[in-house]
Amino acid sequence: RPEAFVSGILFFPNAVSCWEMIPKIRSLKGQKIDPCSLEYFDHNSLARLKGIYKNIPINSQAALFFEQDVPIQNDYDWVLENWFDFLEGSNMLDDSWFSQEPKDVRMFHDFRHHIPIIINEENSRAKRVKLGTDMAVPDKYFMLMMGFYQDLLEKGDLDYVVFGHLGDNHLHINLLPTESQRGQAEQIYDQIADQILEWGGTISAEHGIGKLKKKYFAKMVGTRGLEDLNKIKSSLDPELRLGSGNIF
């Protein structure tokens, strides 16, 4: 277990400047800058979080939570200084937040986890059902993916929130349709899934398939893949007792 973590939340005046920082961070992997976590918040996420965190810079349109483990406490200042050096000249140091003690790290984690809680509470009050993606793509499609999401989501009138694991190209697109917009949201979800699969990505990077993603999973692995997986299922569960109603 690391003895400490250097963490912070970087605020950006626009989304693209946040996206462009990711390849720069990746290029330093294994060197002075080597985060174990990079979490993204779009402008709709920040609009909701500003109700709780009043000191979020008013003009920020995107944010990036980073965290880097520090195996030995004596290296803490050195790692923090490396991040300051990396960000020098970006005009971000004044507005961004950096951990100074363990309670800051906990606060940043709370910041990260508040947004899904807020969305769930909104959905409960509005009696609406969100459509949430769990898709990821290979590194080479990262910038194309981000541009695709922005173009697709901004051209409609559907409410949405984007957050998630930018470090491995794995964002959660939360579509928040009214009852009359449900069909529109499903159509957008289909478009996203088709494009992610065209780029060789996955439609389920961490949360599993369940019942809602069955058709997308079938499209991802293909007929031969389903046949092979059914053979494994049959050998392990010949009486089909497990996972009733799921794809296998």
Coordinates of all heavy atoms in Angstrom, one line a residue, residues 145-201:
M145 N -12.8 9.9 -30.1 CA -14.0 9.6 -29.3 C -14.5 10.8 -28.6 O -15.7 11.0 -28.5 CB -13.5 8.5 -28.2 CG -14.6 8.2 -27.2 SD -13.9 7.2 -25.8 CE -13.1 8.5 -24.9
M146 N -13.6 11.6 -28.0 CA -14.1 12.8 -27.3 C -14.9 13.8 -28.2 O -15.9 14.3 -27.9 CB -12.9 13.5 -26.6 CG -12.2 12.7 -25.6 SD -13.2 12.0 -24.3 CE -13.7 13.5 -23.4
G147 N -14.3 14.0 -29.4 CA -15.0 14.9 -30.4 C -16.3 14.3 -30.8 O -17.3 15.0 -31.0
F148 N -16.4 13.0 -31.0 CA -17.6 12.3 -31.4 C -18.7 12.5 -30.4 O -19.8 12.8 -30.7 CB -17.3 10.8 -31.7 CG -18.6 10.0 -31.8 CD1 -19.4 10.0 -32.9 CD2 -18.9 9.1 -30.7 CE1 -20.5 9.2 -33.0 CE2 -20.0 8.3 -30.8 CZ -20.8 8.4 -32.0
Y149 N -18.3 12.3 -29.1 CA -19.3 12.4 -28.0 C -19.8 13.9 -28.0 O -21.0 14.1 -27.9 CB -18.6 12.1 -26.7 CG -18.4 10.7 -26.4 CD1 -17.4 10.2 -25.5 CD2 -19.3 9.7 -26.9 CE1 -17.3 8.9 -25.2 CE2 -19.1 8.4 -26.6 CZ -18.1 8.0 -25.7 OH -18.0 6.6 -25.4
Q150 N -18.9 14.8 -28.1 CA -19.4 16.2 -28.0 C -20.3 16.6 -29.1 O -21.4 17.2 -28.9 CB -18.1 17.1 -28.0 CG -18.5 18.6 -27.9 CD -17.3 19.5 -27.7 OE1 -16.9 19.7 -26.6 NE2 -16.7 20.0 -28.7
D151 N -19.9 16.2 -30.4 CA -20.8 16.5 -31.5 C -22.1 15.9 -31.4 O -23.2 16.5 -31.7 CB -20.1 16.1 -32.8 CG -18.8 16.9 -33.1 OD1 -18.7 18.0 -32.5 OD2 -18.0 16.4 -33.9
L152 N -22.2 14.6 -31.0 CA -23.4 13.9 -30.9 C -24.3 14.4 -29.8 O -25.5 14.6 -30.0 CB -23.1 12.4 -30.7 CG -24.3 11.5 -30.6 CD1 -25.1 11.5 -32.0 CD2 -23.9 10.1 -30.2
L153 N -23.8 14.7 -28.7 CA -24.6 15.1 -27.5 C -25.1 16.6 -27.6 O -26.2 16.9 -27.1 CB -23.8 14.9 -26.2 CG -23.4 13.4 -25.9 CD1 -22.5 13.4 -24.7 CD2 -24.7 12.6 -25.6
E154 N -24.3 17.4 -28.2 CA -24.6 18.8 -28.2 C -25.6 19.2 -29.3 O -26.2 20.3 -29.2 CB -23.4 19.7 -28.4 CG -22.5 19.7 -27.1 CD -21.4 20.7 -27.2 OE1 -21.2 21.3 -28.3 OE2 -20.7 21.0 -26.2
K155 N -25.8 18.3 -30.3 CA -26.7 18.7 -31.4 C -28.2 18.5 -31.0 O -29.1 18.9 -31.8 CB -26.3 18.0 -32.7 CG -26.6 16.5 -32.7 CD -26.1 15.9 -34.0 CE -26.4 14.4 -34.1 NZ -25.9 13.9 -35.4
G156 N -28.5 17.8 -29.9 CA -29.9 17.6 -29.5 C -30.3 18.4 -28.3 O -29.5 19.2 -27.8
D157 N -31.5 18.2 -27.8 CA -32.0 18.9 -26.6 C -32.1 18.0 -25.4 O -32.7 18.3 -24.4 CB -33.3 19.5 -26.9 CG -34.4 18.5 -27.3 OD1 -34.0 17.3 -27.5 OD2 -35.6 18.9 -27.4
L158 N -31.4 16.8 -25.5 CA -31.5 15.9 -24.4 C -30.5 16.2 -23.3 O -29.3 16.6 -23.6 CB -31.1 14.5 -25.0 CG -31.4 13.3 -24.1 CD1 -32.9 13.0 -24.0 CD2 -30.8 12.0 -24.8
D159 N -30.9 16.2 -22.1 CA -30.0 16.5 -21.0 C -29.1 15.3 -20.8 O -29.4 14.1 -21.0 CB -30.8 16.7 -19.7 CG -30.0 17.3 -18.5 OD1 -28.8 17.7 -18.8 OD2 -30.4 17.2 -17.4
Y160 N -27.8 15.6 -20.4 CA -26.8 14.5 -20.3 C -25.7 15.0 -19.3 O -25.6 16.2 -19.1 CB -26.2 14.2 -21.6 CG -25.4 15.3 -22.2 CD1 -24.0 15.4 -22.0 CD2 -26.0 16.2 -23.1 CE1 -23.3 16.4 -22.5 CE2 -25.2 17.2 -23.6 CZ -23.9 17.3 -23.3 OH -23.1 18.4 -23.9
V161 N -25.0 14.0 -18.8 CA -23.8 14.3 -18.0 C -22.7 13.3 -18.4 O -23.0 12.1 -18.5 CB -24.2 14.2 -16.5 CG1 -22.9 14.3 -15.6 CG2 -25.2 15.2 -16.0
V162 N -21.5 13.8 -18.5 CA -20.4 13.0 -18.9 C -19.3 13.0 -17.8 O -18.9 14.1 -17.4 CB -19.8 13.4 -20.2 CG1 -18.6 12.5 -20.6 CG2 -20.8 13.4 -21.3
F163 N -19.0 11.9 -17.3 CA -17.9 11.8 -16.3 C -17.2 10.4 -16.5 O -17.8 9.6 -17.1 CB -18.4 12.1 -14.9 CG -19.3 11.0 -14.4 CD1 -18.8 9.9 -13.7 CD2 -20.7 11.1 -14.6 CE1 -19.7 8.9 -13.2 CE2 -21.5 10.2 -14.1 CZ -21.1 9.0 -13.4
G164 N -16.1 10.3 -15.8 CA -15.5 8.9 -15.8 C -14.0 8.9 -16.0 O -13.3 9.9 -15.8
H165 N -13.5 7.7 -16.4 CA -12.1 7.4 -16.3 C -11.4 7.8 -17.6 O -11.2 6.9 -18.4 CB -12.0 5.9 -16.0 CG -13.1 5.4 -15.1 ND1 -13.3 5.8 -13.8 CD2 -14.1 4.5 -15.3 CE1 -14.3 5.2 -13.2 NE2 -14.8 4.4 -14.1
L166 N -11.0 9.0 -17.6 CA -10.3 9.5 -18.9 C -9.0 8.8 -19.1 O -8.5 8.7 -20.2 CB -10.2 11.0 -18.8 CG -10.2 11.8 -20.1 CD1 -11.6 11.5 -20.8 CD2 -10.1 13.3 -19.8
G167 N -8.4 8.3 -18.0 CA -7.0 7.7 -18.2 C -7.1 6.5 -19.1 O -6.0 6.2 -19.7
D168 N -8.2 5.8 -19.1 CA -8.2 4.6 -20.0 C -9.4 4.7 -21.0 O -10.0 3.7 -21.4 CB -8.3 3.3 -19.2 CG -9.4 3.3 -18.2 OD1 -10.2 4.2 -18.1 OD2 -9.5 2.3 -17.4
N169 N -9.7 6.0 -21.4 CA -10.6 6.2 -22.5 C -12.0 5.6 -22.2 O -12.7 5.2 -23.1 CB -10.1 5.6 -23.8 CG -8.6 5.9 -24.0 OD1 -8.1 7.0 -23.7 ND2 -7.9 4.9 -24.6
H170 N -12.4 5.7 -20.9 CA -13.6 5.0 -20.5 C -14.5 6.0 -19.8 O -14.4 6.2 -18.6 CB -13.2 3.9 -19.6 CG -14.3 3.2 -18.9 ND1 -14.1 2.5 -17.7 CD2 -15.6 3.0 -19.2 CE1 -15.3 2.0 -17.3 NE2 -16.2 2.3 -18.2
L171 N -15.4 6.6 -20.6 CA -16.3 7.6 -20.0 C -17.7 7.0 -19.8 O -18.1 6.1 -20.5 CB -16.4 8.8 -20.9 CG -15.2 9.7 -21.0 CD1 -15.4 10.8 -21.9 CD2 -14.8 10.2 -19.6
H172 N -18.4 7.6 -18.8 CA -19.8 7.2 -18.6 C -20.7 8.4 -19.2 O -20.7 9.5 -18.6 CB -20.1 7.0 -17.1 CG -19.3 5.9 -16.5 ND1 -19.4 4.6 -17.0 CD2 -18.4 5.8 -15.5 CE1 -18.6 3.8 -16.3 NE2 -18.0 4.5 -15.4
I173 N -21.3 8.1 -20.2 CA -22.3 9.1 -20.8 C -23.6 8.8 -20.2 O -24.2 7.7 -20.4 CB -22.4 8.9 -22.3 CG1 -21.0 8.8 -23.0 CG2 -23.2 10.1 -22.9 CD1 -20.1 10.0 -22.8
N174 N -24.1 9.7 -19.4 CA -25.4 9.5 -18.7 C -26.5 10.3 -19.5 O -26.5 11.6 -19.4 CB -25.4 10.0 -17.3 CG -24.6 9.1 -16.4 OD1 -25.1 8.3 -15.7 ND2 -23.2 9.2 -16.5
L175 N -27.3 9.6 -20.2 CA -28.4 10.3 -21.0 C -29.6 10.4 -20.0 O -30.0 9.3 -19.4 CB -28.7 9.4 -22.2 CG -27.6 9.2 -23.2 CD1 -28.0 8.2 -24.3 CD2 -27.1 10.5 -23.8
L176 N -30.2 11.5 -19.9 CA -31.3 11.8 -18.9 C -32.5 12.2 -19.6 O -32.9 13.4 -19.6 CB -30.8 12.9 -17.9 CG -29.4 12.6 -17.3 CD1 -29.0 13.8 -16.5 CD2 -29.5 11.3 -16.4
P177 N -33.2 11.3 -20.3 CA -34.4 11.7 -21.1 C -35.6 11.9 -20.3 O -35.8 11.2 -19.3 CB -34.5 10.5 -22.1 CG -34.0 9.3 -21.3 CD -32.9 9.9 -20.4
T178 N -36.5 12.8 -20.7 CA -37.9 12.8 -20.3 C -38.6 11.6 -20.9 O -38.0 10.9 -21.8 CB -38.6 14.0 -20.7 OG1 -38.6 14.1 -22.1 CG2 -37.8 15.3 -20.2
E179 N -39.8 11.3 -20.4 CA -40.5 10.1 -21.0 C -40.7 10.2 -22.5 O -40.5 9.2 -23.2 CB -41.9 10.0 -20.3 CG -42.7 8.8 -20.6 CD -41.9 7.5 -20.2 OE1 -41.3 7.5 -19.1 OE2 -42.0 6.5 -21.0
S180 N -40.9 11.4 -23.0 CA -41.1 11.6 -24.4 C -39.8 11.5 -25.2 O -39.8 11.4 -26.4 CB -41.8 12.9 -24.7 OG -40.9 14.0 -24.3
Q181 N -38.7 11.6 -24.5 CA -37.4 11.5 -25.2 C -36.7 10.2 -25.1 O -35.6 10.0 -25.6 CB -36.4 12.6 -24.6 CG -36.8 14.0 -24.8 CD -35.9 15.0 -24.0 OE1 -35.6 14.7 -22.8 NE2 -35.5 16.0 -24.7
R182 N -37.4 9.2 -24.6 CA -36.8 7.9 -24.4 C -36.3 7.3 -25.7 O -35.2 6.8 -25.8 CB -37.8 7.0 -23.7 CG -37.3 5.6 -23.4 CD -36.4 5.5 -22.2 NE -35.9 4.2 -22.0 CZ -35.1 3.9 -21.0 NH1 -34.7 4.8 -20.1 NH2 -34.6 2.7 -20.9
G183 N -37.1 7.4 -26.7 CA -36.7 6.8 -28.0 C -35.5 7.5 -28.6 O -34.6 6.9 -29.2
Q184 N -35.4 8.8 -28.4 CA -34.3 9.6 -28.9 C -33.0 9.2 -28.1 O -32.0 9.0 -28.7 CB -34.6 11.1 -28.6 CG -33.4 12.0 -29.0 CD -33.7 13.5 -28.6 OE1 -34.8 13.8 -28.2 NE2 -32.7 14.3 -28.7
A185 N -33.1 8.9 -26.8 CA -32.0 8.5 -26.0 C -31.5 7.1 -26.5 O -30.3 6.9 -26.6 CB -32.3 8.5 -24.6
E186 N -32.4 6.2 -26.7 CA -32.0 4.9 -27.2 C -31.3 5.0 -28.6 O -30.4 4.2 -28.8 CB -33.3 4.0 -27.3 CG -33.8 3.7 -25.9 CD -35.1 2.9 -25.9 OE1 -35.7 2.8 -27.1 OE2 -35.6 2.5 -24.9
Q187 N -31.8 5.9 -29.4 CA -31.2 6.0 -30.7 C -29.7 6.5 -30.6 O -28.8 6.1 -31.2 CB -32.0 7.0 -31.5 CG -31.7 7.0 -33.0 CD -32.6 7.9 -33.8 OE1 -33.0 9.0 -33.4 NE2 -33.1 7.3 -34.9
I188 N -29.5 7.5 -29.6 CA -28.2 8.0 -29.4 C -27.3 6.9 -28.8 O -26.1 6.8 -29.2 CB -28.2 9.2 -28.4 CG1 -28.9 10.4 -29.1 CG2 -26.9 9.6 -27.9 CD1 -29.2 11.6 -28.2
Y189 N -27.8 6.1 -27.9 CA -27.1 5.0 -27.3 C -26.6 4.0 -28.4 O -25.5 3.6 -28.5 CB -27.9 4.3 -26.3 CG -27.1 3.4 -25.4 CD1 -27.0 3.7 -24.0 CD2 -26.6 2.2 -25.8 CE1 -26.3 2.9 -23.2 CE2 -25.9 1.4 -24.9 CZ -25.7 1.7 -23.6 OH -25.0 0.9 -22.8
D190 N -27.5 3.7 -29.4 CA -27.2 2.8 -30.5 C -26.0 3.4 -31.3 O -25.1 2.7 -31.7 CB -28.4 2.6 -31.4 CG -29.4 1.7 -30.8 OD1 -29.1 1.0 -29.8 OD2 -30.6 1.6 -31.3
Q191 N -26.1 4.7 -31.6 CA -25.1 5.4 -32.4 C -23.7 5.3 -31.7 O -22.7 5.1 -32.3 CB -25.4 6.9 -32.6 CG -26.6 7.1 -33.6 CD -26.9 8.6 -33.8 OE1 -27.8 9.1 -33.2 NE2 -26.1 9.2 -34.6
I192 N -23.7 5.6 -30.4 CA -22.5 5.5 -29.6 C -21.9 4.1 -29.7 O -20.7 3.9 -29.9 CB -22.7 5.9 -28.2 CG1 -23.1 7.4 -28.1 CG2 -21.5 5.6 -27.3 CD1 -23.5 7.9 -26.7
A193 N -22.8 3.1 -29.4 CA -22.3 1.7 -29.4 C -21.7 1.3 -30.8 O -20.6 0.7 -30.8 CB -23.4 0.7 -29.0
D194 N -22.4 1.7 -31.8 CA -21.9 1.3 -33.2 C -20.5 1.9 -33.4 O -19.6 1.3 -34.0 CB -22.9 1.8 -34.2 CG -24.1 0.9 -34.3 OD1 -24.1 -0.2 -33.7 OD2 -25.1 1.3 -34.9
Q195 N -20.3 3.2 -33.0 CA -19.1 3.8 -33.3 C -18.0 3.2 -32.4 O -16.8 3.0 -32.9 CB -19.2 5.3 -33.0 CG -17.9 6.1 -33.4 CD -17.5 6.0 -34.8 OE1 -18.2 6.5 -35.7 NE2 -16.4 5.2 -35.1
I196 N -18.2 3.0 -31.2 CA -17.2 2.4 -30.3 C -16.8 1.0 -30.8 O -15.6 0.7 -30.8 CB -17.8 2.2 -28.9 CG1 -18.1 3.6 -28.2 CG2 -16.9 1.4 -28.0 CD1 -16.9 4.5 -28.1
L197 N -17.7 0.2 -31.3 CA -17.4 -1.1 -31.8 C -16.6 -1.0 -33.1 O -15.7 -1.8 -33.4 CB -18.6 -1.9 -32.1 CG -19.3 -2.4 -30.8 CD1 -20.6 -3.2 -31.1 CD2 -18.4 -3.2 -29.8
E198 N -16.9 0.0 -33.9 CA -16.2 0.3 -35.2 C -14.7 0.6 -34.9 O -13.8 0.2 -35.7 CB -16.8 1.4 -36.0 CG -16.2 1.6 -37.3 CD -16.9 2.7 -38.2 OE1 -18.2 2.7 -38.1 OE2 -16.3 3.5 -38.8
W199 N -14.4 1.2 -33.7 CA -13.1 1.5 -33.3 C -12.4 0.4 -32.5 O -11.3 0.6 -32.0 CB -13.1 2.8 -32.4 CG -13.3 4.1 -33.2 CD1 -12.9 4.3 -34.5 CD2 -13.9 5.3 -32.7 NE1 -13.2 5.6 -34.9 CE2 -13.8 6.2 -33.8 CE3 -14.5 5.7 -31.5 CZ2 -14.3 7.5 -33.7 CZ3 -15.0 7.0 -31.4 CH2 -14.9 7.9 -32.5
G200 N -13.1 -0.7 -32.5 CA -12.5 -1.9 -31.8 C -12.5 -1.8 -30.3 O -11.7 -2.4 -29.6
G201 N -13.5 -1.0 -29.8 CA -13.7 -0.8 -28.3 C -14.6 -1.9 -27.7 O -15.0 -2.8 -28.3

